[in-house]
Amino acid sequence: MSTVAAYDPDKEIPRHIAIIMDGNGRWAKSRDLPRRDGHRAGAESVEECLKACGDIGVEYLTLYAFSSENWKRPEAEVSALMGLLALFLREKLPLLMENGIRLKVIGEIDRLPDSNRKALLKTMEKTSGNDRLVLSVALSYGSREEIVRATKKLMVEAKEGKVSPEALNPDMFANYLDTAGTPDPDLLIRTSGEFRISNFLLWQISYSEIHITDVFWPDFRRPNLEAAIADYQRRHRRYGGL
Ligand code: IPE
Ligand code: IPE
Ligand code: MG
């Protein structure tokens, strides 16, 4: 599915791409390496995708980096992932600045270690003026949790008389989600061949086109991204119409 014709720069480019970056562990296992090495190699794929998205003209990239459910993994793996996040934030600020990338985070940032949270806030602040590509990283993110958080906020505001139940509609509800202000993904990519959503952006992907590739995330490179875009360009988005 991921090896066919190149994308056409003159055709519609997905404005927002969301990626479930999966398969780091299996990539490492297939090389007899520790899982951690798979995550480290995955960081290179992130860097390549960031540059490619900017070049291609994608405006929003959302990356699923750590799910609410990933807290269930062994402590050593969670720490390795948090360590890699810290390293990425320390080393990649120039990359973000040079490529006009603005960093945002979705998910329960309060559950992250203090040092990670501070580094994220600092990077968000430093990149807040960048306007070429918005990178949203999903960290401690679960879509059901996000929807419940949004609903709680709305209920509090309703109790205080700030919003009325009659006024509530889908567009308004979307403003209470972590992704407020970001258009819905046009294209959702999942690597490593799994056909599931794993609690990612359930609300936002209502009408996203889905591209699944067998490639493990650490092997995902610019040609794979371009193949996904080419696949997207062959779709006919009907939104329920004709
Ligand atoms: C994706 O790779 C990264 C995270 C979920 C943090 P995995 O770690 O899930 O790799 P597999 O699925 O076990 O191969
Ligand atoms: C989804 O991958 C989460 C991320 C890519 C961060 P998982 O590997 O956690 O998902 P499952 O367990 O296969 O559904
Ligand atoms: Mg996985």
Side-chain angles (χ1 to χ4, degrees):
M1 218 200 254
S2 58
T3 49
V4 266
Y7 81 100
D8 182 345
D10 296 325
K11 278 200 191 158
E12 190 208 318
I13 299 295
R15 197 173 168 216
H16 181 177
I17 298 180
I19 308 182
I20 302 175
M21 311 184 288
D22 197 16
N24 296 354
R26 278 162 285 166
W27 180 92
K29 192 166 182 221
S30 71
R31 285 164 174 72
D32 266 329
L33 296 168
R35 291 180 59 86
R36 187 203 146 84
D37 288 9
H39 298 311
R40 190 183 309 129
E44 284 168 42
S45 305
V46 169
E47 178 162 352
E48 180 147 336
C49 276
L50 286 173
K51 289 182 190 154
C53 279
D55 294 345
I56 293 168
V58 174
E59 293 172 57
Y60 299 87
L61 177 67
T62 300
L63 298 177
Y64 204 4
F66 191 85
S67 74
S68 302
E69 289 76 16
N70 289 149
W71 289 114
K72 288 190 290 208
R73 294 191 180 193
E75 228 252 54
E77 175 154 351
V78 171
S79 319
L81 285 163
M82 294 303 153
L84 285 168
L85 171 64
L87 185 71
F88 190 90
L89 292 170
R90 244 190 344 263
E91 288 186 345
K92 302 301 174 191
L93 185 64
L95 170 85
L96 301 181
M97 300 312 288
E98 280 158 26
N99 291 278
I101 300 166
R102 174 174 186 180
L103 178 73
K104 288 192 176 180
V105 176
I106 57 172
E108 283 183 283
I109 192 175
D110 290 346
R111 285 186 74 183
L112 300 176
D114 249 15
S115 55
N116 285 106
R117 202 180 52 247
K118 282 185 191 141
L120 283 164
L121 292 172
K122 209 162 89 186
T123 310
M124 284 193 274
E125 161 72 29
K126 285 191 173 149
T127 61
S128 61
N130 293 347
D131 59 4
R132 191 152 173 234
L133 174 69
V134 175
L135 165 65
S136 296
V137 182
L139 287 164
S140 191
Y141 176 87
S143 187
R144 287 185 168 181
E145 287 77 359
E146 177 194 31
I147 290 170
V148 169
R149 272 199 305 283
T151 307
K152 280 187 184 165
K153 271 188 256 165
L154 261 164
M155 289 173 83
V156 170
E157 291 191 13
K159 212 159 74 182
E160 291 168 348
K162 289 182 187 152
V163 294
S164 76
E166 293 72 31
L168 186 60
N169 60 41
D171 285 341
M172 186 178 156
F173 187 81
N175 285 328
Y176 286 79
L177 295 168
D178 296 355
T179 50
T182 298
D184 289 340
D186 299 293
L187 172 61
L188 172 72
I189 299 172
R190 183 164 187 151
T191 59
S192 88
E194 305 289 0
F195 280 69
R196 56 174 169 263
I197 299 301
S198 304
N199 205 12
F200 190 44
L201 302 177
L202 299 176
W203 171 280
Q204 297 87 342
I205 60 166
S206 292
Y207 265 105
S208 304
E209 296 297 326
I210 301 177
H211 173 89
I212 300 199
T213 168
D214 285 336
V215 171
F216 292 142
W217 177 249
D219 287 328
F220 193 88
R221 287 290 173 270
R222 189 179 175 125
N224 305 100
L225 182 73
E226 292 186 358
I229 295 174
D231 188 21
Y232 171 83
Q233 290 180 330
R234 287 190 295 272
R235 308 286 176 89
H236 177 202
R237 302 181 80 182
R238 282 183 288 273
Y239 299 100
L242 295 178

